[in-house]
Structure formats: C-alpha cells, structure tokens
Amino acid sequence: MTKTNEIQRFSFDNTNVRGERVLLNEAYQDIISRKNYPKQIETLLGEFVAAIALLRDIVKIDGVLSLQCKGNGFLETLMTECDENQNLRGIAQWDESKAIPDQISLKEALEGGYLVITISPKTGQRYQGIVEIVGDSLAQCLEQYFLQSEQLPSRVWLSANDTQCGGLFLQRLPAEQAKEGDEDAWDRFTHLASTVSDEELLGLPTADLLHRLYHEEEVRLYDAKAMQFGCSCTQQRTREAIASMGAEEIRQILSEQSKITVDCQFCAQLYVFSKDDLADLLGDLSQTH
Ligand SMILES: [Zn+2]
C-alpha cells in the first residue's frame, strides 16, 4: 500500500462547485495505535479524523480546529483536532462494561449527548458551534452544519478501516461565484460522487478517484497538502494543567508519591514533575508541616 497522508482541493471548470479529498494512512495509524480500540470505535474515530482534516481545510482560521462528541451510552467521548500545520490528533473513550453495536449509528452512540466544533484562533476568541445530530452518520451531521453555518449546500462522504481513513467533500459556492452556464452541475457531481464505494474512497489516489467519478468532466486538481500525526502537548501546558488542580491537591499527591507524572493520552509523552519543579505552586510549605 502506498503511503498517503494528504488533502487535495479540486474544482470543476466553468461551475461553482468545489471539492476536497483526504486520504490518511500513517497519520491515522499513529492515532489509533495509542489504544486498543474496539473495531467499531476505531472506525468511528477514523471518520472523525477524516472529517477534521476536511474541515480544517474548509474553515478558514489560523489556529486549531477540533471536533468533539460526548455520549451517554457506550461512547463516552471522542475528539479530533487539527492545527494550521496539518498536525492531527484524536482520541476516543468508551465504557467497557457496555455492549458496542456492530454498526454504530452516531445518533444512538451519542444517546442525547452532543457534537461540537471548536475553533481556536491564534489570536482572539474561541468559538464553539453545536452540530445538530441529523441522520445516523457524521457525514450527514456535517452536511447540515455547512448548510446552517455557511448557507452552502455541501455533501460529505467518510470512510475508515483498520489502516486508513478518507473523505470526500463537495460544496456549491454562492451564486456570485458561479461562472457561466451549467445549471445542473451540482446535481450531476453529487450524483456521481454518491456512487463512490468505501474501497475506492480508501484505496484510490485522489487523481484516480476523480477520474473514476468524473472522467467526462473538466476537473482542476490543486497541490496536495501533507498531513501528519502531531500532538500539541508541552511541559509548560502540562504544568499549567497541574497548577489548575490547586495547591492543596498538588500537596496531597506529592505527599503520597513524591512526584507527579502525567502521560499525554494523545501521544503517550510522559511528563514528570518533582516537588522542586512545583515548589512555586505549593505556596508556603511550612504551613503544611
Ligand atoms: Zn501529547
């Protein structure tokens, strides 16, 4: 299998339709290898990873974009993130005491929970948008999100297996960006895209996939952007997380273990803090003895 970890934009000449295609293998494997995921959860996580890769290229911000859901049943949390350098990370947590259905419906998995997109620009306010749960799949929820947030008709196809995840996205741009003619381009392109199989979505390079779907159309393919697994955790951020527990709790842990160890759940990086490292967070130590 060729290693592909990239996202590629395309458009159709003389129409107002644009698209994106993402295909990830190593970057995705780096994410799912952190835990022993049940197959169904792994596949769902893969769809989320493909989705955040697409979203990151569509939503124009300089910063981090994350997609997160919280359920009340077997699926506890699932979150994926992508920064401005195409660094991807993701994680899922599930309740091992509960049965996981063979085919996961997102609506059932969330059981009254929620799905949220968080936009964290480098400067300025963080913004969270709740994604309405429609249909059974993440793809359907995202289509609804684009329609509501951008008023643009969009179609999304997502797929994942145990080695790869991929996605295809089509969007009809506003009328003023439309070029001459071709009124039914949107219907034709989405109809052709809906014939895509999981095998094609996960198996074909982007140029081949587009040729398979649109060999009679004028497709313009833009430069591919490389994506990779990457974690944003640092010693400083971990220290800030410890500081947020408060002096009392930090003292409590240090009295039992003499150091605080934190391992990042996304990348397994281990951070160790001694009593000396945390001295300034403890306040006046003489008061505790
Ligand atoms: Zn990390």
Side-chain angles (χ1 to χ4, degrees):
M1 182 179 60
T2 46
K3 294 196 181 358
T4 312
N5 295 284
E6 57 187 32
I7 186 156
Q8 201 160 10
R9 194 173 290 195
F10 58 90
S11 61
F12 301 94
D13 285 356
N14 306 312
T15 74
N16 58 341
V17 181
R18 65 159 179 171
E20 304 260 357
R21 197 285 179 102
V22 67
L23 182 60
L24 306 166
N25 41 51
E26 271 180 315
Y28 167 57
Q29 289 164 25
D30 278 344
I31 291 171
I32 57 174
S33 64
R34 308 283 157 191
K35 281 192 181 189
N36 194 12
Y37 287 111
K39 195 173 170 0
Q40 307 94 306
I41 302 249
E42 181 177 277
T43 307
L44 187 65
L45 180 57
E47 289 191 10
F48 269 72
V49 172
I52 197 70
L54 290 172
L55 276 163
R56 188 64 191 75
D57 219 48
I58 297 159
V59 179
K60 301 274 178 293
I61 55 138
D62 188 19
V64 178
L65 196 70
S66 74
L67 178 62
Q68 186 178 6
C69 70
K70 217 165 177 51
N72 298 314
F74 66 89
L75 184 67
E76 292 171 345
T77 58
L78 193 157
M79 89 92 98
T80 52
E81 215 173 66
C82 187
D83 70 10
E84 67 279 14
N85 298 314
Q86 284 82 242
N87 288 310
L88 292 157
R89 64 177 195 168
I91 198 167
Q93 269 149 348
W94 68 100
D95 184 342
E96 289 182 20
S97 70
K98 293 187 174 143
I100 302 170
D102 288 343
Q103 289 288 330
I104 293 183
S105 142
L106 191 61
K107 193 180 236 165
E108 284 173 20
L110 294 184
E111 279 191 36
Y114 61 83
L115 179 61
V116 67
I117 289 176
T118 307
I119 298 171
S120 311
K122 275 186 169 168
T123 50
Q125 284 284 314
R126 220 167 72 128
Y127 164 81
Q128 282 203 321
I130 295 284
V131 182
E132 195 185 333
I133 310 294
V134 291
D136 287 329
S137 70
L138 177 60
Q140 285 168 289
C141 298
L142 292 179
E143 287 168 1
Q144 180 70 10
Y145 175 78
F146 283 116
L147 193 60
Q148 282 183 343
S149 66
E150 302 187 329
Q151 277 82 50
L152 297 177
S154 308
R155 292 295 314 274
V156 180
W157 292 265
L158 300 169
S159 188
N161 59 24
D162 55 351
T163 52
Q164 315 197 83
C165 66
L168 180 67
F169 169 82
L170 290 179
Q171 189 166 61
R172 188 169 68 187
L173 294 169
E176 58 266 26
Q177 291 185 41
K179 293 156 195 146
E180 283 295 301
D182 211 354
E183 295 301 315
D184 50 43
W186 175 248
D187 290 341
R188 193 168 73 248
F189 296 148
T190 52
H191 175 74
L192 288 167
S194 57
T195 67
V196 74
S197 68
D198 287 336
E199 288 72 27
E200 289 166 339
L201 203 52
L202 298 175
L204 292 178
T206 300
D208 296 351
L209 178 74
L210 295 177
H211 181 74
R212 141 80 183 86
L213 295 172
Y214 301 118
H215 52 90
E216 288 179 3
E217 311 288 344
E218 299 288 325
V219 183
R220 188 173 298 268
L221 202 52
Y222 299 87
D223 288 344
K225 268 188 248 175
M227 308 198 89
Q228 59 283 318
F229 170 76
C231 192
S232 53
C233 68
T234 60
Q235 181 90 6
Q236 181 57 31
R237 278 192 200 167
T238 311
R239 198 174 189 284
E240 283 163 15
I242 293 173
S244 71
M245 298 191 305
E248 203 54 48
E249 197 174 338
I250 297 172
R251 265 191 220 111
Q252 181 68 34
I253 301 173
L254 286 174
S255 70
E256 290 160 7
Q257 303 171 4
S258 82
K259 63 184 178 187
I260 294 182
T261 16
V262 180
D263 60 329
C264 175
Q265 298 210 4
F266 290 96
C267 71
Q269 173 72 43
L270 201 66
Y271 296 99
V272 182
F273 298 87
S274 69
K275 202 173 232 175
D276 286 347
D277 294 333
L278 302 170
D280 62 315
L281 301 178
L282 296 173
D284 187 356
L285 278 172
S286 61
Q287 290 177 359
T288 64
H289 297 290

